[in-house]
Amino acid sequence: MERIRDSLEGRQIAIYFGAAAIALGVALFVPGATMLEAAVNPALAFMLYVTFLQVPLVDLGQALKQTRFMAVLLLSNFVLMPALVFALAGLLPDEPMLRLGVMLVLLAPCIDYVVTFAHLGRADARALLASTPVLLLVQMLLLPLYLKSAFGRDVALYIDAGPFLDAFLWLIAAPLVLAGLTQFLAARRRGWRRAQQVLGLAPVPATALVLFIVIAAVAPQLGSAMGAVLLVLPVYLAYAIIAPMCGWWLARRARLDVPASRAVAFSSATRNSLVILPLALSIPGAIPVLPAVIVTQTLVELLAELVYVRLAARWGASANECADRSLADD
């Protein structure tokens, strides 16, 4: 089991791009691919369930005692990154739906495949994994406030509280409770323990399945939104370059060790596009601009992760002694 899981994690980038390529083929050559949109939420719920299942939920309290790491992670994702997003959004035309899509996707930190990419980049993936329920809860609480500050009272025209509450219930609370119940039963019964071990193989295939469904369902709609895609590309590229450096800088100034600093950098750079998509689809008039804007960010991000995985490990290793010496001099 361990070898299979390590093999999946080691090949996950190729698996994700393979899923994306197959999905594009389906979108181009299979009529009615947009019908897969109905499968997005169930697939997301399963992906989050198997992701949460990797976190020893009974140990979350202990993990949350890493107060400095948690404080830096929250500060980067919910203060520093929003400031960057608001600055970059100012470069976009004054088109509310376009700006809304960019803000929806860039204001929400990732809570799923960021953990496995962080692991490949020699970050403290365990601490990051333990923080995922907190990151997801905080972003769902703060995202409406960020959007209100950006759009004022007009945000009510786009955002209905109902879908947000439904998403929180079915995409966050339900998978989290099921993961906790599975762990509870696995600690007491051999059959459930075996089931948990098998499900430990599922995060990478589940994420690939979500990517396949999302891209196959949304790609047929991209053509009519190509103008929007070209407008947001420079913003996404700028974010992909600036965000990890900001996260790394903040973590090192806070005297986190190198693996924890890498984790903050990965979290700052990786966004929650797959979970945000169902929320965006619930917005009146969202199609085709919002799905196109969000899926474009996912594709840009997957390419950026290839760079992060290689650069973060090398950058951190080479910067380790110098950074530690600089912090000591302070």
Side-chain angles (χ1 to χ4, degrees), residues 221-267:
Q221 307 167 35
L222 290 181
S224 57
M226 190 54 65
V229 169
L230 295 177
L231 287 172
V232 299
L233 267 177
V235 171
Y236 290 154
L237 291 172
Y239 185 90
I241 294 169
I242 298 170
M245 293 192 294
C246 288
W248 170 265
W249 172 83
L250 180 64
R252 296 304 284 159
R253 299 311 298 173
R255 301 178 185 272
L256 294 184
D257 61 28
V258 168
S261 298
R262 291 176 185 146
V264 174
F266 270 97
S267 182

Side-chain angles (χ1 to χ4, degrees), residues 128-150:
L128 195 56
L129 186 61
S131 72
T132 54
V134 177
L135 287 177
L136 195 51
L137 177 61
V138 174
Q139 70 183 264
M140 297 308 257
L141 293 174
L142 292 184
L143 188 57
L145 299 180
Y146 291 140
L147 295 177
K148 187 173 182 180
S149 67

Side-chain angles (χ1 to χ4, degrees), residues 15-28 30 32-47 171 204-222 273-275 277-278 281 291-292 294-295 298-299 302:
I15 292 171
Y16 295 155
F17 275 101
I22 294 171
L24 286 173
V26 169
L28 288 173
V30 177
T34 54
M35 294 176 62
L36 287 171
E37 191 176 299
V40 170
N41 276 2
L44 276 171
F46 178 71
M47 181 187 73
L171 297 181
V204 171
T207 303
L209 176 64
V210 170
L211 283 171
F212 169 81
I213 292 172
V214 167
I215 294 172
V218 174
Q221 307 167 35
L222 290 181
S273 56
L274 297 180
V275 175
L277 183 61
L281 292 173
I294 290 172
V295 171
T298 302
L299 297 177
L302 284 174

